[in-house]
Structures are given as C-alpha cells and as structure tokens.
Amino acid sequence: IHFHIGLRCNYDCSYCPGPVYDDTGKLQSGVHDNSSPHMTVEEFKHGLSLLDPHVPPKPNRRVYITGGEPTLNPKIKEFVQICIDMGFEPRISTNGTGSEKKYRELLDMGVYLEFSFHVEFTIDKRAGCACHLSAYHFIYNPSYIAFIL
C-alpha cells in the first residue's frame, strides 16, 4: 500500500508538480505544497482500517508512507506504531532532510527508510554545510538504512 499522508513538503523540486489553486484559493491539483494541514492520527488509522481487510497476510503487508515529505508530520511515529499494531511493515520514503535523531528513532521502531536525493537541493545547498555532515554519514551507513538512488 502506498499511503499518501499529505501534500506538505519542504522542497520545491522543478520536476514535481507544485500546487495549483483556483480563483478562490482552493487547491485544484499538485503533489506538494508547504502549507496544507497535516493528516491526523485518527484520519491515518481510519484510512488504514478501511484498507486492512483487502491486504494479503505477511510477508506482503507493507505500507509505504509517502507525501509530500512524510517526516514533516509531527505524528509520524504514531502512524508507524499504528502500522506495526495492525501487522503492517512500515516503510517511509523521505527526502532526507529530517534530523539524524528522528531517523534513528524510526529505524529503532523497525521502519525501512528510503531516501531520495534531489540534486538541485542536496548538492548545492547541503554538501558544504557542516551542520549536515553527520546526517550524511548516517545516510550512507548501510548497516542502518537502505539507500535508494
């Protein structure tokens, strides 16, 4: 299951369709923005409960939590715990901009993390910043995560 938990993203990639609004300001289309409300725990649990009866048993009970950028949701760890409690294997697709602490906590919960690197942001704006070097060491450490190119 690919479970889209919202549009909110902290990047504005040139290849990713941004928000399109009508004259009243209502969102018409788009994959991301930086202002949509976060999905609530209740909404996540309800959505997953509706899908649960239609998903095969393990080992094929995987939930890919996507967005926007799912790790921006302050309830992401609660979403993961709901997945685990319902017998799903949680996976998160992330742009890698969260803190190392957040990723370690998710990994300790059993989450499979998939990092995507956006060259227009990652190389130009992150590589020279010393504050992100420890995160890059962590990201490249294969004993902790899967690295997706």
Side-chain angles (χ1 to χ4, degrees):
I1 298 171
H2 287 259
F3 200 122
H4 188 275
I5 66 166
L7 297 173
R8 192 173 291 212
C9 185
N10 54 336
Y11 277 172
D12 188 19
C13 299
S14 60
Y15 52 82
C16 192
V20 175
Y21 301 96
D22 67 13
D23 293 338
T24 67
K26 183 178 177 185
L27 182 69
Q28 295 299 303
S29 66
V31 174
H32 69 86
D33 67 20
N34 201 14
S35 59
S36 291
H38 290 295
M39 178 176 279
T40 67
V41 171
E42 293 77 21
E43 291 168 328
F44 183 82
K45 191 171 189 173
H46 176 72
L48 200 55
S49 295
L50 292 173
L51 296 169
D52 185 44
H54 307 285
V55 180
K58 285 187 176 184
N60 297 314
R61 291 181 63 84
R62 295 184 189 104
V63 174
Y64 293 83
I65 302 173
T66 67
E69 172 50 42
T71 63
L72 292 176
N73 190 308
K75 302 295 184 182
I76 190 67
K77 289 191 286 184
E78 291 177 56
F79 294 173
V80 165
Q81 191 59 55
I82 291 167
C83 291
I84 293 166
D85 291 347
M86 293 179 70
F88 289 95
E89 176 186 299
R91 294 172 177 234
I92 296 176
S93 178
T94 177
N95 64 21
T97 57
S99 68
E100 181 176 347
K101 179 180 184 279
K102 179 181 282 187
Y103 293 129
R104 286 187 188 276
E105 289 171 349
L106 290 168
L107 289 166
D108 288 344
M109 293 178 76
V111 174
Y112 183 92
L113 294 173
E114 297 177 351
F115 290 87
S116 60
F117 286 104
H118 305 277
V119 175
E120 63 190 285
F121 295 101
T122 308
I123 305 252
D124 295 339
K125 297 181 181 174
R126 301 281 184 207
C129 178
C131 60
H132 292 283
L133 292 179
S134 64
Y136 273 88
H137 172 73
F138 169 70
I139 287 170
Y140 283 102
N141 186 336
S143 66
Y144 290 114
I145 56 131
F147 180 66
I148 308 298
L149 291 174

